[in-house]
Amino acid sequence: MAKSKQPKMVAANKTGLAASPSGVNRSEQAAAVLAQEPGDTLTTNQGLRISDNQNSLRAGTRGPTLLEDHILREKIMHFDHERIPERVVHARGAGAHGVFEVYKSMAKVTKAGFLQDPAVKTPVFVRFSTVAGSRGSADTARDVRGFSVRFYTPEGNFDLVGNNIPVFFIQDAIKFPDLIHSVKPEPHNEIPQAASAHDTFWDFISMVPETTHTVMWAMSDRAIPRSFQMMEGFGVHTFRFVDEAGKASFVKFHWKPVLGVHSLVWDEAVKLAGKDADFHRRDLWEAIDKGQYPEWEFGVQIVPEADEHKFDFDLLDATKLIPESLVPVKLIGKLTLNRNTDNYFAETEQIAFHPGHLVPGIDFSNDPLLQGRLFSYTDTQLSRLGSANFHEIPINRPLAPVDNNQRDGHMRQTIVKGRVSYEPNTLGSGCPMQRPWEQGGFVSHPETMEGEKLRIRSPSFADHFSQPGLFWRSQVRWEQDHIVAAFCFELGKVTVPAVRERMVATLSQVDVVLAQRVADGLGMPVPPPPKGAEDVPHTDEPKTDRALSMAESHKESIVGRTIAVLAAHGVDGKAVDAMRVALVNAGATMKLIAPNLGKIKAAGGEQMDVDHSFPTVGSVLFDAVFAPGGEQSVTALCADANAVLFVKEAYKHGKVIAASDEGLKLIARAAMSAGAADGKFLGPGVIAGLGKVVNTSFIKSVLAAVAMHRFPERPDLADIVA
Ligand code: HDD
């Protein structure tokens, strides 16, 4: 019998996590929780060593299983209970650990401890999610993405539970269940999964004009991001910063991705759902695994309290953003994700975010959407995680000491000693004691309140169309085209004509051209705006705002991009190698795609490993395509329908198509097959390298084109058959 080894117990911090590569020493807090590596002896949950894990205990070799088999019963019982209810929204998610560093002290505006010292690395856990789909749905559905960040600060956990869209559908939390019921699969038949293109969603949206702004964003390519690493994050609500002296200002929180803001195109997103439903979580996992740590800069828009009423909209209205042209975003720190989870369930699934998890120096505003959220999150964790002690699950434990008089409850872990569990007390020397603001205690920002008790929406929330119009006007032509196409797709799936009519009438209040184009796509006239529309307040200032367009996003880097090289036997191996070196040096990944797995023999006789065969992948999984020369290789690929489709599709999706030497024939073959005018792909983003040698200037042009991300403005895209 093999010598039994004790399970290795890894000392961890209170979050149950081993020290991170960032060097943050969290083990000081430690010991309460131990993360465990698998040992070499199989045991029951009571530590009993198991001698046979293959056969249940039975009466005779062919007899019935005995109830006595406690080992079988324990194993099956645990298995039967391995699922917990999925989140009622944001069920599908992916998470990672990291650190946050502030650039310089923010003491002038907030006393929040983690925003004071640039030398401090605050541990974080981030969870990205889609909203509507179930846990097993596809990553690339058209949807808002959740962007939740937990800062484990010495003053307690601060959760910034935001989205990748800066505004929200509704103004008051009382409408949240209605909104979500409308977008979720319809209750009678549980169809459709992870999709807003159905009657009930648009029925609700077309009845509730405050949703229009967020719907504009949701119909834009922001709702189909290329990667979690390439999307912005927003705290959405107006929060408050409070300084040491108690002076408050309003603040909006932003996350700006270092890789820029980039998206998929719709046809790609649809195909990706089948080719790789885990496209986004895989991308995040692999980036961290490779050491290409995803980064975002943390931004704030600060508005002095005195300026609260200076805008045409209400700061408390979550359907409005503060245009960056009015209040610039100040970048104050950096978030880096540098460690994948050890266990998806224990960490990503069990983390329980809450917008009410604050630290001194950050406070709420009276946004009625935020106020309602404050009830929902604790409440939902109780049914999801099953106990009032969910804060004791390792991923939810604050680094800050937890000391209070709460005891007992389902699955209580902490053993608090002593007989005192009340306050005030003398038997425990008065401990644990409350702390005033000066000693780090949390004090709600004092605000003068007066008014009648009523159910009412402030008239300052009434302008539902100015900001959707600003968003529309700020998009470049191809972005507008994609928005129109998205509306036509979604409303085209609606089976009730009256719903389509109401929705187009709503759009006519945003922009007449938008409404006309959508109406044309749906084959209907633009209906007149609803009664009273002329009385709705409206402003066309500012005219545009650059920050609202993804076309303006920076495009200097190809980090995180994956480029497909199409090859068969006889490929120009030197060209492949030169491209590989250049791409890898620039932080991208190259994959060799061939008709079959295994190896191919290059023109010079060298063997090359194939990463994927054509039937197992598709161009949608890559950011660009390179077709190297090699007569034999190109001839084989020109006769391979999968290879030709690969190039056509990549072109149709606006991706870079590069070819050297004979590789140009494959591009020409694809262009011919796609029905391109004169049998040519026009570009931009089509890079041709003539001659045998793949030279520096060709490679430079390819890299620069990939950094542009996509060329959705290609004039011939509508005509391409792919
Ligand atoms: Fe929410 C989860 C973001 C309004 C009720 N929400 C949840 C998550 C994100 C958001 C990112 C996933 C957290 C995670 O990764 O575990 N929610 C938002 C934003 C909102 C918003 C940005 C508006 C600005 N939410 C909102 C309202 C309510 C809720 C108005 C209810 C009144 N949200 C929930 C919830 C969830 C949730 C039911 C489901 C799972 C969970 O909380 O932990 O409580």
Side-chain angles (χ1 to χ4, degrees):
M1 189 184 286
K3 202 173 144 222
S4 168
K5 188 174 83 180
Q6 284 298 311
K8 271 187 240 147
M9 304 300 268
V10 182
N13 50 72
K14 279 200 170 183
T15 61
L17 316 167
S20 71
S22 59
V24 175
N25 184 0
R26 289 196 271 158
S27 57
E28 282 167 15
Q29 321 285 328
V33 176
L34 298 175
Q36 182 178 322
E37 298 207 354
D40 66 2
T41 301
L42 188 69
T43 75
T44 65
N45 283 338
Q46 304 307 313
L48 179 75
R49 293 173 182 190
I50 294 174
S51 62
D52 183 348
N53 191 36
Q54 318 307 318
N55 302 294
S56 48
L57 190 67
R58 59 186 72 116
T61 50
R62 301 179 61 247
T65 301
L66 299 179
L67 187 61
E68 179 198 316
D69 192 349
H70 61 113
I71 294 175
L72 168 78
R73 279 189 287 118
E74 185 200 76
K75 183 174 176 183
I76 301 285
M77 178 279 293
H78 193 278
F79 172 76
D80 289 346
H81 297 270
E82 280 173 7
R83 290 291 167 271
I84 59 173
E86 66 174 31
R87 287 167 173 82
V88 58
V89 282
H90 296 267
R92 181 168 179 80
H97 301 271
V99 289
F100 173 79
E101 295 148 279
V102 71
Y103 291 150
K104 63 177 201 180
S105 172
M106 295 300 292
K108 272 193 183 150
V109 282
T110 175
K111 72 172 281 188
F114 75 104
L115 296 177
Q116 305 303 318
D117 184 355
V120 169
K121 293 182 177 191
T122 301
V124 299
F125 189 86
V126 177
R127 183 175 181 273
F128 302 107
S129 47
T130 49
V131 180
S134 290
R135 256 192 75 178
S137 56
D139 277 350
T140 55
R142 176 177 295 284
D143 202 350
V144 176
R145 298 297 182 287
F147 194 131
S148 302
V149 183
R150 166 164 298 163
F151 302 78
Y152 296 92
T153 91
E155 298 176 304
N157 289 348
F158 169 51
D159 289 353
L160 188 52
V161 194
N163 282 339
N164 76 327
I165 286 178
V167 283
F168 201 68
F169 292 97
I170 47 170
Q171 296 173 323
D172 189 313
I174 200 166
K175 296 309 296 168
F176 191 70
D178 297 300
L179 166 73
I180 299 304
H181 287 172
S182 80
V183 71
K184 282 274 183 179
E186 298 187 11
H188 60 313
N189 59 9
E190 187 74 2
I191 297 174
Q193 178 57 243
S196 51
H198 58 116
D199 286 353
T200 56
F201 178 68
W202 289 103
D203 186 27
F204 176 81
I205 294 295
S206 63
M207 303 281 290
V208 185
E210 74 204 48
T211 60
T212 312
H213 191 192
T214 304
V215 161
M216 291 293 295
W217 284 77
M219 293 303 111
S220 79
D221 292 352
R222 299 271 185 157
I224 42 171
R226 158 63 181 85
S227 156
F228 293 137
Q229 304 178 63
M230 297 172 202
M231 63 184 201
E232 287 179 291
F234 304 89
V236 181
H237 309 283
T238 302
F239 287 84
R240 276 191 168 94
F241 267 162
V242 187
D243 71 9
E244 182 65 51
K247 184 168 173 288
S249 36
F250 292 108
V251 58
K252 290 261 193 197
F253 294 115
H254 295 248
W255 295 107
K256 301 270 184 195
V258 168
L259 297 186
V261 190
H262 304 295
S263 282
L264 303 168
V265 295
W266 176 238
D267 184 57
E268 208 183 351
V270 170
K271 289 173 175 160
L272 270 169
K275 291 272 183 195
D276 185 4
D278 304 304
F279 185 68
H280 285 148
R281 65 166 65 169
R282 191 188 308 285
D283 171 87
L284 179 70
W285 180 276
E286 288 179 352
I288 296 173
D289 214 35
K290 277 190 282 198
Q292 279 178 352
Y293 299 142
E295 292 175 323
W296 288 260
E297 291 195 284
F298 191 43
V300 288
Q301 284 175 298
I302 296 177
V303 176
E305 274 198 323
D307 292 348
E308 181 176 0
H309 302 294
K310 162 179 137 176
F311 302 95
D312 288 331
F313 51 89
D314 196 323
L315 287 180
L316 304 185
D317 175 358
T319 68
K320 308 294 186 302
L321 48 81
I322 309 180
E324 293 187 27
S325 48
L326 299 185
V327 180
V329 174
K330 195 175 154 133
L331 299 173
I332 65 164
K334 186 177 272 187
L335 164 71
T336 307
L337 295 183
N338 57 19
R339 189 160 63 85
N340 278 316
T341 52
D342 291 315
N343 183 284
Y344 180 89
F345 180 84
E347 301 174 275
T348 310
E349 190 61 9
Q350 292 203 114
I351 192 160
F353 289 98
H354 192 317
H357 292 166
L358 293 183
V359 288
I362 302 179
D363 208 339
F364 311 122
S365 68
N366 293 330
D367 173 345
L369 190 71
L370 173 59
Q371 300 274 322
R373 289 178 78 187
L374 299 178
F375 166 72
S376 183
Y377 288 71
T378 320
D379 189 44
T380 206
Q381 309 311 348
L382 290 178
S383 67
R384 202 167 70 80
L385 298 168
S387 154
N389 289 315
F390 65 82
H391 62 284
E392 294 192 318
I393 295 171
I395 194 70
N396 291 325
R397 290 186 170 216
L399 291 184
V402 174
D403 242 329
N404 57 41
N405 295 311
Q406 289 157 24
R407 302 279 188 275
D408 309 348
H410 203 59
M411 294 291 164
R412 179 69 176 184
Q413 312 284 306
T414 314
I415 302 171
V416 185
K417 296 180 185 168
R419 59 177 168 158
V420 172
S421 57
Y422 55 89
E423 193 273 346
N425 68 67
T426 59
L427 300 184
S429 312
C431 295
M433 286 179 227
Q434 43 191 44
R435 296 280 177 207
W437 175 259
E438 297 71 30
Q439 290 175 25
F442 179 80
V443 177
S444 290
H445 178 63
E447 195 183 353
T448 311
M449 293 286 156
E450 64 176 56
E452 291 163 351
K453 182 164 68 180
L454 24 82
R455 291 185 187 274
I456 197 169
R457 200 70 62 90
S458 167
S460 56
F461 282 34
D463 176 1
H464 304 313
F465 299 112
S466 299
Q467 289 209 350
L470 170 66
F471 181 74
W472 168 255
R473 292 190 300 274
S474 302
Q475 308 301 302
V476 299
R477 177 71 198 195
W478 63 263
E479 288 176 308
Q480 291 189 338
D481 292 347
H482 292 192
I483 292 172
V484 170
F487 272 116
C488 291
F489 175 88
E490 297 263 323
L491 295 173
K493 292 267 191 180
V494 166
T495 64
V496 182
V499 172
R500 285 200 291 268
E501 282 160 23
R502 271 202 310 270
M503 200 53 225
V504 178
T506 300
L507 294 181
S508 72
Q509 295 170 83
V510 174
D511 187 278
V512 283
V513 174
L514 165 67
Q516 189 60 61
R517 291 182 65 188
V518 174
D520 290 347
L522 295 171
M524 58 181 274
V526 177
K531 260 201 199 135
E534 59 286 356
D535 301 331
V536 174
H538 196 100
T539 165
D540 283 340
E541 291 300 329
K543 284 265 171 287
T544 57
D545 189 289
R546 284 166 63 93
L548 301 177
S549 166
M550 285 192 296
E552 298 288 346
S553 185
H554 48 99
K555 296 172 176 135
E556 302 86 35
S557 156
I558 66 163
V559 170
R561 307 306 209 285
T562 312
I563 287 80
V565 174
L566 310 189
H569 292 302
V571 70
D572 176 353
K574 289 203 177 94
V576 175
D577 286 341
M579 188 61 84
R580 188 196 310 274
V581 170
L583 290 172
V584 171
N585 285 345
T589 307
M590 197 198 90
K591 297 285 181 194
L592 199 67
I593 322 290
N596 302 304
L597 270 181
K599 290 186 186 294
I600 51 174
K601 194 170 167 193
E606 66 273 33
Q607 299 280 333
M608 307 192 109
D609 286 328
V610 175
D611 293 301
H612 302 287
S613 61
F614 281 111
T616 60
V617 289
S619 71
V620 291
L621 294 163
F622 304 91
D623 293 286
V625 183
F626 171 46
E631 189 67 49
Q632 185 195 350
S633 165
V634 171
T635 306
L637 295 181
C638 283
D640 185 324
N642 283 327
V644 174
L645 176 64
F646 202 103
V647 179
K648 285 198 292 185
E649 235 179 25
Y651 184 82
K652 174 102 183 156
H653 296 152
K655 294 173 183 174
V656 172
I657 312 275
S660 59
D661 203 14
E662 294 98 345
L664 288 164
K665 287 188 203 163
L666 179 60
I667 310 293
R669 169 82 184 82
M672 192 76 86
S673 156
D678 301 332
K680 281 194 189 121
F681 283 148
L682 294 178
V686 180
I687 320 280
L690 303 176
K692 289 278 166 224
V693 185
V694 168
N695 60 26
T696 331
S697 88
F698 169 71
I699 287 184
K700 257 183 152 173
S701 333
V702 174
L703 265 53
V706 176
M708 294 301 290
H709 183 60
R710 297 289 152 91
F711 296 89
E713 69 277 27
R714 282 176 185 156
D716 54 347
L717 288 189
D719 307 325
I720 299 299
V721 183

